[in-house]
Amino acid sequence: MIPPQEASVRRREIEDKLKQVSILSSFESRLMKLENSIIPVHKQTENLQRLQENVEKTLSCLDHVISYYHVASDTEKIIREGPTGRLEEYLGSMAKIQKAVEYFQDNSPDSPELNKVKLLFERGKEALESEFRSLMTRHSKVVSPVLILDLISGDDDLEAQEDVALEHLPESVLQDVIRISRWLVEYGRNQDFMNVYYQIRSSQLDRSIKGLKEHFHKSSSSSGVPYSPAIPNKRKDTPTKKPVKRPGTIRKAQNLLKQYSQHGLDGKKGGSNLIPLEGHEHDFRVKHLSEALNDKHGPLAGRDDMLDVETDAYIHCVSAFVKLAQSEYQLLADIIPEHHQKKTFDSLIQDALDGLMLEGENIVSAARKAIVRHDFSTVLTVFPILRHLKQTKPEFDQVLQGTAASTKNKLPGLITSMETIGAKALEDFADNIKNDPDKEYNMPKDGTVHELTSNAILFLQQLLDFQETAGAMLASQETSSSATSYSSEFSKRLLSTYICKVLGNLQLNLLSKSKVYEDPALSAIFLHNNYNYILKSLEKSELIQLVAVTQKTAERSYREHIEQQIQTYQRSWLKVTDYIAEKNLPVFQPGVKLRDKERQIIKERFKGFNDGLEELCKIQKAWAIPDTEQRDRIRQAQKTIVKETYGAFLQKFGSVPFTKNPEKYIKYGVEQVGDMIDRLFDTSA
């Protein structure tokens, strides 16, 4: 049993718990009543808020829709006035119009408002196209010739290259053009502006190159120097333009060749019109011209500055095209979309490139006609041009990357044409040297160097400056498999073989020409002069090293030929010395009176010597030996022989009483005879 006291405590605890339960139940009941009354109010509030939001959205949409109906009126004035001077604002208006067009097309395609905004959009697009054309036209300027020359010279001068960086369009204009271009591509769905672009830039490129050519013509006619520094203040001590390597020797040869043969070497035109020069007049000219070729300070040195304008202009225009085309592509890359750049660039450069190629073909055509006339001086212009084209070809190829095959093939085609015509010229020149006719009236009366010899040597000397070019010309005509990938050594051997062929043809022709002379001694002097001129020219111009590539003994051979002709000439004096030679003299005893027959023989010997000496001196005085060293050598050798022979004869018979009038027969002393021989080959004496 539980004690009464504990039971009482338990009862109280239970009663307390029951009270708590009752309170909780009452609170829960009240909460439920409160919830049942609040929830409907909350839901009603939510609905009201949703309705309010829908109303606001509807009003906003109405405002947005209504705004499209005002776009036309809001932007019409801006579109009408055009984008000039406010491109940003204009493009902003165009963006609004475009959105309006899109809205009406999607929501109200039959709305008259759609036609309004579409018409406005088209007007705006046309205005942007017009602005693009206007900006390109107004701000695209021809590049000045002086600036182009600075640009070309920049290859060797980094500072100069930076100084002459081209700005085709002002920066602000360039940015406007770029923005219009991008808008037309992205929103205008228009590619016509690309045609506008290339047409305008093509014209400027073409005019820039033609302007450079005209600059050469004008400058050469006034000062002879086709350049004036573009930036004189920055480098006062050093002109901006570096001297370009010009084919000066070619020009000398051209001028000299033309002096000798205005219409060629065939003897029909050039040869027949020449007036043979007497004595040292011809001698001096040939010697003078020969020395002038290698004399930088000689009387013809000024000719180096008398530029062959056409050749120089063309060479510079080729370099200008490469530089300007590179610059054009850089400009184009900022303005034209990437996938249209190559095609647009191809179109842009066509006029200028075609102009260069046409002019190059004209040069080939002129060379072809000159070959027919045997005017090989004109053909010489092909050499520096072809060399420059081949040197420039890598840059050309790089610039033309991505263009059409027909565009890429233009320069190689021109190079092939020039190589072919150059090889033809070389071949015909060699044949012409061989076949130049023997014309009596075309032979130098003084036996000096023939024009054919000087022309041949002058022509060959030019090949030294263009060895690779000339060798490649010859190699290009080879049909052997080795020629398809010929080496420089192969080309050099071909050129050496060619030069030896010309010299061989020349030697054969000279031998034939020498037979025109009736006097074998004059024939010998003629051959001596020509052989000596050839040898000295080969040695002086270093042609001898090129000849030696295939003919090691050429120098020795020429020296032998020269000695042979000297010996032949010396035989002409036998008819003089034979009169007084020991073997032909009468034998007599000293102190014994001479018989009439013996006296007559001595008289005849003196008379024969005197007459022969006078005759030879008179004739040979008018002959010429241009080489001073050779002239002195030949005189001295002849003088020694004659003086010794005459001296011995005079010593033996000078005091013999073979005549009552010794002064009639003993006309000359030994030294007098020497003096007379010293005046041989000297028309001024």
Side-chain angles (χ1 to χ4, degrees), residues 574-626:
L574 289 176
K575 63 182 180 182
V576 176
T577 56
D578 274 357
Y579 278 105
I580 57 175
E582 182 79 26
K583 61 183 180 180
N584 295 325
L585 296 177
V587 179
F588 62 92
Q589 296 296 325
V592 179
K593 184 178 179 181
L594 294 175
R595 290 174 294 177
D596 291 343
K597 183 179 179 181
E598 291 174 336
R599 286 197 298 271
Q600 187 60 32
I601 290 175
I602 295 173
K603 289 178 182 179
E604 289 175 355
R605 295 292 184 266
F606 268 109
K607 186 177 186 304
F609 172 78
N610 292 336
D611 291 347
L613 175 68
E614 291 169 356
E615 181 185 1
L616 283 188
C617 287
K618 179 181 178 182
I619 293 172
Q620 295 184 8
K621 175 185 175 183
W623 297 354
I625 299 179

Side-chain angles (χ1 to χ4, degrees), residues 49 154 167 198 217 233 236 268 452-453 483 508 640:
Q49 288 176 342
E167 182 184 71
Y198 92 69
H217 288 187
N233 296 329
K236 292 183 179 178
K268 295 177 182 177
L452 181 70
T453 303
L508 290 173
T640 300

Side-chain angles (χ1 to χ4, degrees), residues 620-662:
Q620 295 184 8
K621 175 185 175 183
W623 297 354
I625 299 179
D627 189 311
T628 304
E629 182 181 341
Q630 287 290 98
R631 182 167 66 240
D632 292 344
R633 177 188 166 208
I634 292 173
R635 281 174 177 167
Q636 186 60 45
Q638 202 58 57
K639 187 166 64 172
T640 300
I641 294 171
V642 176
K643 283 177 67 177
E644 286 180 357
T645 307
Y646 183 62
F649 177 76
L650 198 60
Q651 185 178 9
K652 191 170 186 179
F653 295 100
S655 57
V656 173
F658 66 92
T659 179
K660 295 179 181 179
N661 302 306

Side-chain angles (χ1 to χ4, degrees), residues 278-283 446 618-624 631 635 679-685:
E278 298 290 343
H280 289 286
E281 184 181 354
H282 189 280
D283 159 24
D446 55 5
K618 179 181 178 182
I619 293 172
Q620 295 184 8
K621 175 185 175 183
W623 297 354
R631 182 167 66 240
R635 281 174 177 167
R679 290 193 291 273
L680 297 179
F681 319 115
D682 186 358
T683 55
S684 63

Side-chain angles (χ1 to χ4, degrees), residues 93 116 150 164 196 245 251 415 449 459 470 601 603 655:
S93 296
K116 288 184 181 180
D150 271 344
V164 296
V196 171
K245 291 182 180 178
R251 289 187 192 86
I415 287 175
V449 179
F459 189 88
I601 290 175
K603 289 178 182 179
S655 57

Side-chain angles (χ1 to χ4, degrees), residues 132-140 169 177 197 200-201:
F132 182 88
R133 179 188 294 273
S134 176
L135 288 173
M136 290 300 303
T137 302
R138 284 189 286 117
H139 296 283
S140 289
L169 298 173
V177 168
Y197 178 86
I200 293 172
R201 294 307 308 171

